[in-house]
Amino acid sequence: LIRPEATGFGAVYYLESVMKHEHDTLQGKTVAVAGFGNVAWGVVQKLSELGAKPVTLSGPDGYIYDPDGITTKEKFDYMLEMRASGRNKVQDYADKFGCEFFPKQKPWGQKVDICMPAAYQNELDVPEIEQIIANGTKYYIEVANMPTTNEGLARAMAEPGMIVAPSKAVNAGGVAVSALEMAQNSMRYSWDGAEVDAKLVGIMKNIHKISVEAAEGAGLGYNLVAGANIAGFEKIASAMMSQGVV
């Protein structure tokens, strides 16, 4: 249960930990989301539930801007219809709900508080990051697998005051819930959705926590990219040493 939503839900739980670290809240924040598939579907649902307002979705044909927010069950359900149709067009959302569609453009020109690319690899390069910086966006949260080029990520990390969270940590919730599913099968357990969701919250909070601790331990401050790399390496190295690999 909640496996289809898990990557998106987990990304927002991670973001929630980031906001708490910054003594901030999701309440009332506007969010640009790229993509409209399962991951983006999970992201917008959980953002809405926690009081934020996702305002964009994107596809190969362009992006939509919904100033009212993608915050209702009707809109969430329609995202599933769009995916199931196989048309691969986000314009369908604009036609359905009467909002603006920007053909052949990406949503990063919109002025928002948080950016969450959840579409595809290397979607953002330096020009897109420069747009986000110019808009005064504070939180750049990677959700898709490596949505930012190395150069774009370096530019984001170099911007004073911008918080950058890497995909390897942010989108770990999907794989984590797959592991929970395997655990249930192995132990003949059957957890309901609320129980799986509670475990996912704990997992994402811990991923943020160990990333913060690893970065601070290395004298790098609140560097979530470095922290995730260091924490991941240390976990693998520790497991190898426990098995007798020196």
Side-chain angles (χ1 to χ4, degrees), residues 36 58-63 88-92 101-105:
F36 68 87
S58 69
D61 54 334
Y63 81 91
N88 210 20
K89 289 187 175 182
V90 78
Q91 185 178 357
D92 292 350
F101 171 67
F102 297 82
K104 301 302 179 184
Q105 295 185 50

Side-chain angles (χ1 to χ4, degrees), residues 229-243 245:
N229 289 336
I230 295 167
F233 177 85
E234 288 178 340
K235 189 169 187 178
I236 292 169
S238 176
M240 292 174 68
M241 292 173 70
S242 296
Q243 295 178 60
V245 179

Side-chain angles (χ1 to χ4, degrees), residues 21-55:
H21 182 275
E22 295 298 296
H23 306 290
D24 203 348
T25 174
L26 278 169
Q27 196 68 38
K29 294 291 191 297
T30 54
V31 188
V33 178
F36 68 87
N38 268 8
V39 176
W41 172 65
V43 167
V44 298
Q45 286 187 79
K46 189 55 64 174
L47 284 171
S48 176
E49 182 182 320
L50 295 177
K53 185 166 77 168
V55 293

